[in-house]
């Protein structure tokens, strides 16, 4: 459905270090520079970070979350730990299993250095 997801950041190099570590847990190579942006290309899409083109400060979406598919709970934990170790902050409940109308999910939430909310989601096989 999506070709890419892009988030605004205020310090491009701080955010690059954060996302290099975070997305490295998914075997995504470090970001590739393109003017005031970095792109992370994986087999299922592209994620980008950019300083806002209009010169205004980047802000996060209130209520917005970007979810990343995980292969296992351990990968979700590594994603979360890399985020926290590289300038992110944990948010929501601690990483773990949740039961809901959509079934059983393993979730781990972290905010990037600019406050963008990210979710590591593992859906076990049925």
């Amino acid at each position: 459905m999506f070709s890419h997801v892009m988030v605004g950041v205020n310090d491009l190099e701080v955010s690059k270090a954060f996302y290099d570590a975070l997305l490295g847990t998914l075997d995504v190579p470090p970001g590739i520079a393109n003017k005031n942006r970095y792109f992370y290309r994986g087999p299922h899409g592209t994620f980008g970070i950019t300083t806002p083109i209009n010169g205004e400060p980047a802000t996060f979406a209130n209520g917005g979350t970007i979810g990343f598919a995980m292969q296992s709970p351990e990968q979700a934990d590594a994603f979360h730990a890399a985020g926290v170790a590289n300038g992110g902050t944990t948010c929501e409940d601690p990483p773990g299993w949740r039961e809901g109308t959509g079934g059983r999910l393993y979730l781990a939430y972290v905010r990037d250095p600019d406050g963008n909310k990210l979710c590591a989601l593992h859906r076990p096989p049925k």
Side-chain angles (χ1 to χ4, degrees):
M1 178 183 291
F2 303 107
S3 66
H4 67 284
V5 172
M6 177 88 66
V7 297
V9 301
N10 289 302
D11 187 322
L12 199 55
E13 296 309 314
V14 165
S15 292
K16 180 183 186 309
F18 174 86
Y19 282 106
D20 282 357
L22 189 79
L23 298 177
T25 66
L26 306 178
D27 295 324
V28 174
I32 299 168
N34 180 325
K35 298 182 183 176
N36 62 322
R37 297 176 174 154
Y38 282 101
F39 289 101
Y40 297 85
R41 295 190 187 352
H44 302 291
T46 299
F47 182 81
I49 59 175
T50 184
T51 53
I53 294 170
N54 66 3
E56 297 293 322
T59 59
F60 61 88
N62 186 17
T65 303
I66 299 169
F68 292 85
M70 301 289 130
Q71 297 300 311
S72 67
E74 294 79 16
Q75 188 179 41
D77 288 342
F79 180 96
H80 183 267
V84 171
N86 287 277
T89 55
T90 192
C91 62
E92 301 288 332
D93 293 328
W97 290 102
R98 313 286 199 286
E99 297 287 339
T101 57
R104 190 168 191 234
L105 304 172
Y106 191 92
L107 301 171
Y109 289 92
V110 64
R111 288 193 182 272
D112 76 3
D114 289 289
N116 294 296
K117 188 163 114 178
L118 312 170
C119 176
L121 183 150
H122 170 66
R123 194 179 306 272
K126 292 184 179 186

